[in-house]
Amino acid sequence: MTSADREAASHDAAEAARAVPDVVTDASGDPLAQAAELGAGAPVLAFDVGGTDIKSALFDADGAMLGLRRTPTPEPGADLPVRLVARLVELGAQLREEHPGVDPVAVGLVVPGIVDEVAGVGVFASNMGWRDAPIRALAEEAFGLPVAFDHDVRTGGWAEHVLGGARPYPDSIVLIIGTGIAGALLLGGVPFTSGGYAGEVGHSPVADEPVCACGARGCLEAIASAGAIARRYTARTGVPVEGAKEVIALAGAGDDAAAAVWDEALDALALSIAQLTAVIAPQAVVIGGGLSRAGGALFDELRTRLRARLSFHRLPELVPAQLLGNAGILGAALRARSLG
């Protein structure tokens, strides 16, 4: 083995040692970032529940994330809240058994859908099958601990403000562009929720077509999400692709259909951000999810198109999210600590 080979192998081993075991990517394929340091505080349990997976971890008094794992979410259904909470209690018991010196004083739990964090209710989640589910009350009874309950993306957006890419910007919008498009509004560093209905940027109308899975027409998500970009290219060409990344590469290589699909996605995103800029005047738009990995092909183009759409408005900074797939669970831990 040459010295160059040894150096490369040493680098690979070091990278592997730093990797979080058992959790490689989130449901959209986004790689999970390393845990940001929470700093000293109360030890807590944290759960980030998605339609496919549950991320769970225990945070100690130094802020270290212990035992991060990813396990399947129970099957959807009207009784899912009860079954889900029972599963979370099992996961929490496993974490506590593995780390007997850490005694959590609170639980952070975030879920998708429409979430009323004040009432502690999962108002609606189509992919989970619940409506008006009293999830916080169920969890508090099962755990015997106070539970901070909130929306996954909204909480992840707040974590980006506390620990990640939105730190310098108390007035910001966090957009997660993956299979769908989810958003979080941060005003004065505080998530704006409006009973759980605020932040549905992916379902803001930007065109008359196509029909979105939600039933409305021309939603941003139906045009500019990573999932929509791949579907729209295949619908135009009959050629299946692995994802938006392939469509963007084809557009760069001169494929007219790919270029048209990508151009329409960029225009829709620019229009939506321009509307948010005119109404909310965010200091920054923080973009995460799988599409954020497009780099300059996304960020440079959006900056150019925003400048063309706006006049006197304060142009927001466009910055990549830093916490990636760990944003939700870090946010859940922060929310649990805020109960103390």
Side-chain angles (χ1 to χ4, degrees):
M1 179 182 288
T2 67
S3 59
D5 290 336
R6 284 193 295 272
E7 183 177 345
S10 176
H11 173 76
D12 291 344
E15 287 297 311
R18 286 196 292 269
V20 177
D22 302 327
V23 185
V24 180
T25 62
D26 69 9
S28 70
D30 201 28
L32 297 181
Q34 296 296 306
E37 288 296 328
L38 296 187
V44 295
L45 280 166
F47 302 96
D48 178 6
V49 177
T52 303
D53 302 302
I54 301 167
K55 298 185 191 79
S56 55
L58 182 64
F59 289 78
D60 68 14
D62 294 323
M65 182 165 61
L66 307 173
L68 175 64
R69 66 200 59 194
R70 178 176 168 177
T71 53
T73 303
E75 290 296 314
D79 65 338
L80 176 57
V82 173
R83 290 184 287 115
L84 173 63
V85 168
R87 180 60 178 142
L88 298 182
V89 170
E90 290 176 358
L91 291 169
Q94 292 171 11
L95 287 164
R96 296 176 74 166
E97 183 177 351
E98 293 166 9
H99 305 279
V102 182
D103 189 17
V105 299
V107 176
L109 169 57
V110 299
V111 301
I114 304 299
V115 175
D116 185 340
E117 84 289 352
V118 176
V121 171
V123 178
F124 176 68
S126 59
N127 63 333
M128 309 299 275
W130 66 53
R131 187 182 293 273
D132 296 326
I135 295 174
R136 184 175 63 201
L138 291 171
E140 287 183 335
E141 181 178 0
F143 279 100
L145 293 170
V147 174
F149 176 66
D150 211 329
H151 184 259
D152 53 356
V153 173
R154 188 163 62 230
T155 304
W158 180 55
E160 282 288 345
H161 170 64
V162 177
L163 302 169
R167 274 177 294 184
Y169 312 107
D171 296 325
S172 56
I173 296 165
V174 178
L175 288 182
I176 307 301
I177 309 175
T179 305
I181 297 179
L185 309 181
L186 294 162
L187 305 179
V190 178
F192 177 71
T193 65
S194 193
Y197 288 90
E200 291 290 341
V201 179
H203 295 287
S204 59
V206 293
D208 293 327
E209 297 290 345
V211 175
C212 180
C214 76
R217 290 183 175 274
C219 292
L220 177 65
E221 179 176 297
I223 299 171
S225 67
I229 290 168
R231 288 193 302 272
R232 285 161 64 79
Y233 177 77
T234 298
R236 289 190 185 198
T237 65
V239 178
V241 290
E242 292 186 3
K245 182 178 179 180
E246 186 176 346
V247 177
I248 296 167
L250 287 168
D255 184 309
D256 289 341
V261 168
W262 181 227
D263 183 68
E264 290 164 6
L266 288 167
D267 266 350
L269 283 167
L271 174 58
S272 183
I273 295 172
Q275 292 169 336
L276 291 165
T277 298
V279 175
I280 300 173
Q283 297 164 292
V285 177
V286 180
I287 301 176
L291 202 65
S292 69
R293 298 198 301 276
L298 174 70
F299 288 91
D300 293 344
E301 278 292 332
L302 284 180
R303 290 185 188 103
T304 298
R305 295 175 193 228
L306 267 182
R307 291 190 194 100
R309 280 196 171 275
L310 298 172
S311 56
F312 64 87
H313 311 82
R314 177 178 67 186
L315 286 173
E317 296 288 333
L318 301 181
V319 298
Q322 293 179 0
L323 303 183
L324 302 178
N326 277 350
I329 197 160
L330 290 168
L334 289 169
R335 289 282 285 113
R337 280 187 166 187
S338 73
L339 295 177

